[in-house]
Amino acid sequence: MTVMRFPKQFNFGATILAKDDEGGFDQGNKGLTTYDVLTASENVAKLDLEEVLAAVEIEGLASYPSRQGVDFYHRLDEDLQTLVNLGISQVLVSLSWARLFPKGEELSPNEVGLKFYQILLTKIKALGLEPIVILGDGALPLNLSVKYNGWATRRLVADFNRYANACFDNFGQLVSKWLTFIDLTAVLNAPYLAGGILSRADAESAYQALVHQLLASSLASKNLHEQFQASQLGYGISYQVDLTEGRAAFEQNFKQRLLADLVLRGAYSPLLAQLLEQAEIELDLDELDAETLAESKVDFIYLNWPETQHNLEVALLELTERYQLPIIVGDFSSKYRQNIQAVARALSQKATVVGYFPQVFNGGLVAVASDLTRQKTAAYNDYQDIIFNNGLEI
């Protein structure tokens, strides 16, 4: 066995997402989100407007898990203390767009929502933790999905930037690191979950939604850096390298690199345009849009790592080589030990990884029973040992 040490400046963290964990769906004037109408077994691929409107009429928690989550809304003191005891230095937390703008198109934010997040972020700082805030975790105000078909519609660029600017204005003194979206490429595979797209959830709408999210991200980056020059803003992305042989793997890896260039460099290459044209996908992307994307400033990469992905070490090394940006890893899989070992191996090969953030709940560090009582998992204790020792055996 070899003991791998992490750099002294490496950040051990943990993740709490509003869409999964916050709950309090009917508290503080919050609006419904696109996740609040999903049952635990919902076939999202077949979700339509009629089903969503029917779910809106069902009051209370019913069988909609996002409405209660793990009730972080009411238990934040207990949960934050658990994270302090873990020994982490940073906490990645997402905000609910619908808590600040219940319908998504209001001109000013909900004051009760502002107060809640002001309290949350102040407490995080007071406990000696650094907050990293995600603006878009996938859930958006349901009204924007029902009324405008979510991110398939360009008007959401302005709605999101009103929300982002309100966050910068009200929390900019407490937060120095931000993420626009947890995974900008997710909308291509999950149009409703990542983009709130209900009708015409085809490939063209999904790619158009990606363009709109990128435009919103670029404008948010510009506004943040003008207002808070020392602050940093990152973009989230999924990135898996297929190591199998054959043409299919080659084409998949090639397409993924072109998409990553679009997200992280704002480069809409002729090769990507050709691939989309071959798939009969025509994007609404004019010269001004292209300039906006090209001018985007990305300070760090957030690598979203779900259960279905593998070859994390290879992905980190390739992202390092291609983009030379700091990388933080968000681990949403049950393969926690395997993934943190992959991070350590990548670091030994000069990967630019600066942080690792497993999920707190939902199969992560803390188990939550049906009565909402908390129980630390074996992963919590193991992670605590790794943090304390600043290393692990490989």
Side-chain angles (χ1 to χ4, degrees):
M1 289 284 187
T2 301
V3 177
M4 300 292 296
R5 301 294 180 189
F6 291 88
K8 289 183 179 180
Q9 68 273 23
F10 189 81
N11 294 301
F12 294 102
T15 303
I16 295 175
L17 296 182
K19 67 176 182 179
D20 298 321
D21 306 324
E22 188 175 282
F25 85 105
D26 57 355
Q27 302 290 303
N29 303 325
K30 178 181 176 291
L32 285 176
T33 75
T34 46
Y35 276 65
D36 289 334
V37 294
L38 295 177
T39 65
S41 59
E42 197 79 66
N43 186 341
V44 180
K46 296 182 179 179
L47 196 67
D48 60 24
L49 180 59
E50 185 177 339
E51 291 174 302
V52 167
L53 294 178
V56 170
E57 297 302 315
I58 300 176
E59 298 181 356
L61 302 177
S63 56
Y64 301 99
S66 184
R67 296 186 181 188
Q68 178 174 259
V70 298
D71 200 29
F72 178 69
Y73 184 81
H74 294 108
R75 298 166 185 258
L76 61 91
D77 288 316
E78 172 190 355
D79 292 334
L80 291 178
Q81 189 57 54
T82 298
L83 296 184
V84 171
N85 296 340
L86 180 61
I88 62 173
S89 58
Q90 296 180 329
V91 57
L92 189 66
V93 60
S94 70
L95 310 184
S96 172
W97 186 352
R99 190 170 295 285
L100 293 175
F101 291 83
K103 293 187 178 298
E105 54 184 337
E106 295 90 346
L107 297 181
S108 58
N110 168 27
E111 291 295 332
V112 183
L114 285 177
K115 184 178 180 180
F116 171 72
Y117 287 127
Q118 189 82 31
I119 291 172
L120 170 61
L121 295 169
T122 300
K123 289 188 178 209
I124 290 173
K125 296 275 286 187
L127 289 168
L129 302 175
E130 180 185 9
I132 301 176
V133 168
I134 306 170
L135 296 171
D137 63 7
L140 60 147
L142 184 63
N143 174 66
L144 296 181
S145 176
V146 171
K147 191 172 180 180
Y148 301 111
N149 200 27
W151 279 101
T153 305
R154 182 177 284 261
R155 70 152 286 144
L156 262 70
V157 174
D159 290 327
F160 181 85
N161 273 278
R162 192 180 312 113
Y163 159 57
N165 288 337
C167 292
F168 300 155
D169 291 341
N170 288 278
F171 313 132
Q173 299 299 329
L174 294 167
V175 181
S176 61
K177 291 185 176 67
W178 302 80
L179 275 171
T180 52
F181 294 90
I182 193 169
D183 186 353
L184 280 155
T185 52
V187 71
L188 301 180
N189 298 313
Y192 179 79
L193 290 178
I197 301 174
L198 275 170
S199 60
R200 293 190 305 102
D202 53 20
E204 184 167 284
S205 296
Y207 273 97
Q208 192 63 58
L210 169 60
V211 169
H212 293 154
Q213 289 184 351
L214 285 171
L215 289 171
S217 295
S218 183
L219 293 172
S221 176
K222 181 175 183 293
N223 293 337
L224 176 68
H225 289 111
E226 287 179 352
Q227 189 172 359
F228 298 97
Q229 295 181 3
S231 292
Q232 296 182 342
L233 185 138
Y235 285 11
I237 190 172
S238 289
Y239 195 91
Q240 177 177 303
V241 181
D242 190 338
L243 297 179
T244 59
E245 296 182 357
R247 184 173 181 82
F250 172 82
E251 290 180 349
Q252 176 59 32
N253 291 334
F254 180 70
K255 180 180 178 182
Q256 178 178 247
R257 291 172 187 129
L258 293 177
L259 285 172
D261 284 348
L262 174 62
V263 172
L264 299 173
R265 291 175 175 158
Y268 183 49
S269 71
L271 286 173
L272 179 57
Q274 182 180 348
L275 287 177
L276 296 182
E277 183 179 351
Q278 290 172 355
E280 298 183 347
I281 294 173
E282 183 177 352
L283 296 181
D284 177 16
L285 181 68
D286 59 26
E287 290 185 7
L288 182 59
D289 291 336
E291 290 178 7
T292 300
L293 295 181
E295 292 171 356
S296 180
K297 180 184 178 184
V298 183
D299 297 304
F300 63 91
I301 299 169
Y302 173 83
L303 178 59
N304 183 47
W305 201 256
E307 182 72 37
T308 55
Q309 298 197 171
H310 49 275
N311 301 324
L312 175 58
E313 178 184 351
V314 178
L316 291 171
L317 292 172
E318 186 164 302
L319 286 171
T320 295
E321 181 181 4
R322 289 181 65 82
Y323 303 106
Q324 294 296 309
L325 287 170
I327 305 168
I328 61 176
V329 177
D331 190 352
F332 292 91
S333 80
S334 61
K335 297 173 286 189
Y336 146 79
R337 184 75 184 191
Q338 175 182 325
N339 289 336
I340 198 169
Q341 287 177 343
V343 169
R345 288 194 301 270
L347 279 167
S348 72
Q349 300 170 73
K350 309 302 183 185
T352 55
V353 189
V354 297
Y356 173 76
F357 293 76
Q359 60 183 339
V360 177
F361 305 108
N362 300 294
L365 304 174
V366 177
V368 181
S370 58
D371 63 357
L372 299 177
T373 55
R374 271 75 162 142
Q375 180 67 46
K376 297 172 185 175
T377 66
Y380 179 100
N381 296 323
D382 188 38
Y383 190 37
Q384 188 178 51
D385 287 341
I386 291 171
I387 295 170
F388 180 78
N389 295 310
N390 194 40
L392 76 163
E393 291 184 346
I394 295 183

